[in-house]
Amino acid sequence: MAKKYSCKNCGAELYFEPKSGKLHCDYCGTDYDPAEYDFTAEEALSDDDTIPQYSEEGGTGADADGQAATDESVSTDDLVVYKCPHCGAEVITSKKTVATTCVYCNRAITLTGNVKGEFRPDYVLPFEKGRDEVEKAYRALCRSSILTPRKISSESTVEKIKGMYVPYWIYSFDGKASAHIHAERVRTFISGQDEVTEISNYELFEEGTGEFVRVPADAMKAMDNEMMDTIEPFDFSKLEKFNPAYLTGFYTQQWDETAAENEPRAKSRAKDALSSELMRHIGSYTTARVTSENFAWKDQKLELVMIPVWMLYTEYKGEKYVFGMNGQTGKMMGSLPRDPMRLVEIGAAIFIIVQIILMIIRIMGVL
Ligand SMILES: [Zn+2]
Ligand SMILES: [Zn+2]
């Protein structure tokens, strides 16, 4: 069902406003709690009501760019046509789209039929950072990195800023780890005329447990895993029960990586945490290495959560760069271009400092 959210007071369109956490009407200024616009019983049950599938002959000529969130390579088989609830135009989008914007009237459309069954999130983490904060965070990131070209902030252009909810699988579980560790302690002392080195070997066995609460892993192939991991953490105490009204004005799609596919990502983070805790626990040795390790998991709980991310697309000297910003905390990540000349400049500065220090030492030596 292609749905719009309209003001109960004046009928104008509502948007989710990150700063207030409310659905806001720009026209009359009224704010609504998203809970007031929860799924209707009919929506929760109704089947998808798309109009017949898009084909090349029957298309409207518009392309699907901007409709399919991040999936740049959708084939026509994956496309579907909805009637825009605002202007009535036929909007072409990916079958997996949950929330998008009409290419003709630029107003928000939520496809409530696409958040059913296994695609229905348990929770949503609402946006707290607004669109106006994205470019500011990008400029600050440019200035903070010493290896980026000096003029990148003024010479790069921001092409597009897009607010997205990314579906995440969130895992909670208990973990138990045990490890055999070989450790050595090396002691050197003087005995009479001799310097003696004493090496003591230890075979250690350590065991420990850990409770892992809400370990996140994004469930979209198109998202760069490394970037998504680096915009963490998220404050999950602010989760809200899922309701599609939160999605108005943003883009989102159904997950396309299963919970089972993503589980190793969550588990490898838990393993790293348990391993380093065991190593910390053995105390101090000169060297220590794990010879065998064993992990066991229980009481696993799984949640599907929509996580807010601002995507920023920039261009600098003909190259395109993508950045992601945590929509809750404002933490921004992405790869900035590197300027090889900056390394030379920094290298030259260090060389000069070293030369000056050496000169001072020489002069002091003469004195
Ligand atoms: Zn209104
Ligand atoms: Zn429209």
Side-chain angles (χ1 to χ4, degrees), residues 2-147:
K3 180 166 177 169
K4 62 175 177 178
Y5 289 88
S6 306
C7 177
K8 291 175 186 171
N9 187 31
C10 74
E13 189 188 10
L14 297 175
Y15 279 105
F16 182 80
E17 170 51 53
K19 291 204 175 92
S20 61
K22 306 276 186 200
L23 288 174
H24 179 71
C25 173
D26 263 349
Y27 195 76
C28 72
T30 313
D31 284 327
Y32 299 91
D33 194 310
E36 284 188 56
Y37 285 84
D38 204 350
F39 279 113
T40 60
E42 177 208 1
E43 270 169 8
L45 296 170
S46 76
D47 281 329
D48 205 2
D49 64 344
T50 54
I51 32 190
Q53 212 173 325
Y54 174 71
S55 67
E56 268 167 9
E57 312 85 74
T60 55
D63 65 21
D65 182 43
Q67 297 296 311
T70 56
D71 197 349
E72 304 291 327
S73 60
V74 277
S75 81
T76 50
D77 292 346
D78 299 326
L79 298 177
V80 72
V81 179
Y82 286 93
K83 208 179 219 10
C84 171
H86 304 283
C87 71
E90 291 190 346
V91 179
I92 304 153
T93 185
S94 147
K95 273 184 185 166
K96 292 181 167 296
T97 300
V98 173
T100 186
T101 305
C102 172
V103 268
Y104 302 98
C105 70
N106 204 31
R107 284 180 282 186
I109 306 173
T110 309
L111 305 166
T112 52
N114 286 347
V115 280
K116 288 197 302 189
E118 57 182 348
F119 296 106
R120 174 129 180 207
D122 299 294
Y123 297 99
V124 55
L125 192 65
F127 270 92
E128 287 184 38
K129 298 292 175 187
R131 175 179 293 270
D132 55 322
E133 291 172 80
V134 186
E135 194 167 338
K136 264 190 258 168
Y138 165 69
R139 303 284 174 210
L141 182 70
C142 289
R143 286 192 300 271
S144 70
S145 174
I146 56 167
L147 292 182

Side-chain angles (χ1 to χ4, degrees), residues 332-347:
M332 178 169 265
M333 279 297 160
S335 311
L336 285 160
R338 292 196 162 195
D339 180 356
M341 281 312 289
R342 290 287 287 151
L343 259 183
V344 175
E345 283 168 33
I346 293 164

Side-chain angles (χ1 to χ4, degrees), residues 104 263 285 301:
Y104 302 98
E263 197 180 311
Y285 291 91
K301 203 175 118 207

